[in-house]
């Protein structure tokens, strides 16, 4: 359960069957309280947790980024991917454009929103789908023509 008022962000994750609760309170309304609660819950239950500060940035050739350029559709959201001066940019509909930083040739992360992106390549070596994990919630978007 997420809640927020101006200047604050909270998240409460209840696990009644395990007699456990995770509560995240922040005095920053942009804090990813849900993602933090998800990570803490993962630690609580012994799952592998991807820590944002463990992500390693790598350099890849700008030509590789061209594989991902296009529009992707997930439910009711369109995500635009562009390559600008050797940087991969992501712009979900109605939101500002942010840089996606390479962790591998097919996996990227976005620092500002603690999101990860993973592209699936087709036989022509062009991306066919995009998997986005934001705040611990995965979403799959199919490439549209």
């Amino acid at each position: 359960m997420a809640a927020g008022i101006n200047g604050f962000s909270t998240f409460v994750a209840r696990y009644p069957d395990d007699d456990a609760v995770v509560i995240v309170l922040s005095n920053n309304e942009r804090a990813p309280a849900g993602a933090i609660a998800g990570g803490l819950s993962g630690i609580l239950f012994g799952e592998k947790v991807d820590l944002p500060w463990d992500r390693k940035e790598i350099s890849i050739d700008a030509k590789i980024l061209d594989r991902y350029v296009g529009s992707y559709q997930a439910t009711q959201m369109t995500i635009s991917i562009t390559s600008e001066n050797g940087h991969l940019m992501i712009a979900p509909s109605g939101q500002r454009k942010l840089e996606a930083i390479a962790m591998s040739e097919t996996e990227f992360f976005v620092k500002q929103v603690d999101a990860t992106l993973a592209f699936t390549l087709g036989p022509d070596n062009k991306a066919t789908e995009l998997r986005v994990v934001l705040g611990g919630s995965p979403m799959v978007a199919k490439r549209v023509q």
Side-chain angles (χ1 to χ4, degrees):
M1 164 177 61
I5 58 174
N6 294 337
F8 300 90
S9 177
T10 65
F11 196 94
V12 177
R14 295 181 56 235
Y15 304 97
D17 293 343
D18 298 300
D19 196 28
V21 64
V22 173
I23 301 170
V24 176
L25 307 171
S26 175
N27 64 349
N28 178 345
E29 65 188 48
R30 292 177 163 235
I36 293 168
L40 291 171
S41 297
I43 292 168
L44 178 66
F45 294 112
E47 299 171 1
K48 181 185 177 298
V49 176
D50 178 29
L51 302 174
W53 52 85
D54 284 344
R55 295 181 183 139
K56 303 291 186 244
E57 181 176 342
I58 66 165
S59 295
I60 58 174
D61 190 297
K63 291 180 183 177
I64 291 173
L65 301 179
D66 292 339
R67 298 175 182 173
Y68 313 121
V69 171
S71 294
Y72 298 79
Q73 188 70 43
T75 316
Q76 296 181 19
M77 177 185 291
T78 301
I79 301 169
S80 297
I81 302 290
T82 57
S83 176
E84 300 175 15
N85 300 317
H87 300 276
L88 193 71
M89 306 300 288
I90 179 170
S93 53
Q95 299 180 35
R96 65 188 169 112
K97 190 183 300 185
L98 297 171
E99 182 179 3
I101 300 166
M103 294 186 291
S104 75
E105 284 193 5
T106 58
E107 297 176 317
F108 298 79
F109 67 96
V110 181
K111 288 180 184 177
Q112 296 91 333
V113 293
D114 190 27
T116 58
L117 314 173
F119 291 93
T120 302
L121 299 177
D124 61 354
N125 227 16
K126 295 278 187 186
T128 58
E129 106 180 352
L130 167 62
R131 184 173 192 272
V132 179
V133 178
L134 175 63
S137 300
M139 171 180 59
V140 176
K142 301 286 185 184
R143 187 180 200 144
V144 293
Q145 301 303 331

